[in-house]
Amino acid sequence: MSDDHNHNHNHNHNPPHTHDHGYSHGGHAHSHAPANFNRAFAVGIALNTGFVAIEAFYGWQINSLALLADAGHNLSDVAGLVLAWAGSLAVGLKPDARHTYGFKRATILAAFANALLLLLAMGGLTWEAVGRLSAPQAALQAQGGIIMAVAGIGIVVNAVTAWLFMRGGDDLNIRGAFLHMAADALVSAGVVVAGGLTLWLGWVWLDPVVSLIIAAVILWSTWSLFTQSLHLLFDGVPASVDVQQVRALLLGLPGVADVHDLHVWAMGTSHIALTAHLVTQASDTGALLRSAEEELHEHFEIRHVTLQLETPAYAAVCGLRPGLGCQSS
């Protein structure tokens, strides 16, 4: 390899693509959140599956749309937790010759599928609730106590499940699980209130109204997850990274004269990758690379860095330089 063109230096000084157990460099240790949530997923899925059965049974018995709607939503959350768990486990699968990055993107797919599932479920709920508004179920008045008791169980189940995922907020996949469970706890509290008012004041119209409020709350909490995961699926820059700041950091490194072909994307919901061409005449390229790796890791949590070092002479003819036939960032 000539001095003019040092190509594809990988930041991890171990064999390529062994990032699944965290990264430690320059005294900074960071672990990937999904690896620690197997127990949380198992407990959360078990608790919510049991609660879905209870809520659906009593909702069917007393013909409460609020309970049936919340049961349907909680069932979709169970499916969402299963998807999120599968995505989390996929991160640990080893790369192979045909999947050289491994399967980290499964976490993004899980977050997207989770959000899409919820959006579809809430569309169906809204349709049914609007129909019920024109024909409230008068028999619900006597069943307010059952509605309150069942929803009260839901508050406990959802709050406990949300707590299990509270420490994973930096990972979109885990944060999706947390937000859904936290929203469910609030929704269950709303159902308790609706049950009380139905019992004491005879407001049977409140059952479909609460269902519509449930749908609105969940749509609001899910939309961000949906748009972020869709953005990452198309190799969008993660929200935690400002590309202009990254460019400024690289340009500020000693000996760097220019930066081009800079790309930042998410390999998974907790794995960020970067590639760039640095134009430099630095004599100690090892020190430059180490400095770049440490700064990118420290300031942006970018763990997978690939840098191409070029002399000004090589950069002048680099096919990826802006204006030389290949669009560059």
Side-chain angles (χ1 to χ4, degrees):
M1 186 176 295
S2 71
D3 292 337
D4 284 349
H5 187 191
N6 293 330
H7 187 65
N8 288 351
H9 175 87
N10 192 289
H11 83 290
N12 193 355
H13 303 292
N14 297 314
H17 308 298
T18 55
H19 310 288
D20 297 331
H21 304 291
Y23 174 87
S24 179
H25 194 24
H28 302 283
H30 301 269
S31 60
H32 298 307
N36 301 317
F37 283 86
N38 289 337
R39 183 177 178 184
F41 278 119
V43 172
I45 289 169
L47 284 175
N48 281 273
T49 301
F51 177 59
V52 165
I54 294 171
E55 197 170 31
F57 174 77
Y58 282 102
W60 173 71
Q61 285 283 89
I62 67 174
N63 200 27
S64 168
L65 180 60
L67 283 181
L68 287 172
D70 201 38
H73 166 237
N74 278 292
L75 181 60
S76 71
D77 270 356
V78 171
L81 286 173
V82 171
L83 282 170
W85 196 6
S88 179
L89 292 173
V91 173
L93 296 178
K94 295 184 180 300
D96 57 38
R98 292 186 59 81
H99 302 90
T100 57
Y101 273 137
F103 297 86
K104 297 178 179 66
R105 182 152 294 201
T107 54
I108 301 175
L109 286 169
F112 177 75
N114 198 349
L116 188 61
L117 184 66
L118 278 170
L119 291 174
L120 292 173
M122 290 309 101
L125 166 58
T126 300
W127 180 266
E128 181 66 21
V130 169
R132 283 283 184 102
L133 275 174
S134 62
Q137 305 294 308
L140 280 177
Q141 182 175 357
Q143 308 296 343
I146 294 177
I147 294 174
M148 292 175 68
V150 174
I153 296 171
I155 294 174
V156 176
V157 169
N158 291 313
V160 168
T161 308
W163 175 77
L164 292 172
F165 294 102
M166 187 178 296
R167 62 192 174 89
D170 291 337
D171 184 291
L172 189 65
N173 191 35
I174 302 300
R175 184 164 66 87
F178 167 76
L179 286 175
H180 288 168
M181 296 300 109
D184 285 353
L186 293 175
V187 165
S188 295
V191 174
V192 169
V193 172
L197 292 173
T198 299
L199 179 65
W200 296 324
L201 301 176
W203 291 355
V204 293
W205 52 266
L206 200 58
D207 185 72
V209 168
V210 167
S211 300
L212 287 173
I213 295 173
I214 288 173
V217 168
I218 294 164
L219 286 172
W220 178 80
S221 64
T222 304
W223 187 250
S224 174
L225 180 69
F226 175 77
T227 55
Q228 286 187 54
S229 57
L230 183 62
H231 174 72
L232 295 182
L233 278 176
F234 286 91
D235 289 329
V237 178
S240 61
V241 177
D242 184 320
V243 172
Q244 296 308 314
Q245 291 182 9
V246 172
R247 184 184 298 277
L249 183 151
L250 293 173
L251 282 171
L253 295 172
V256 175
D258 194 18
V259 176
H260 67 94
D261 202 48
L262 171 61
H263 299 282
V264 181
W265 73 98
M267 295 166 63
T269 53
S270 62
H271 299 76
I272 303 175
L274 173 148
T275 61
H277 293 205
L278 304 185
V279 181
T280 180
Q281 288 184 307
S283 57
D284 190 348
T285 56
L288 172 59
L289 291 168
R290 282 192 299 273
S291 178
E293 293 160 5
E294 290 172 357
E295 292 291 319
L296 290 168
H297 181 222
E298 177 67 26
H299 295 288
F300 300 103
E301 281 296 307
I302 299 176
R303 293 178 168 89
H304 190 108
V305 177
T306 305
L307 298 172
Q308 177 167 305
L309 303 185
E310 302 172 352
T311 64
Y314 182 86
V317 296
C318 177
L320 295 178
R321 191 168 63 86
L324 290 185
C326 183
Q327 186 176 1
S328 176
S329 63

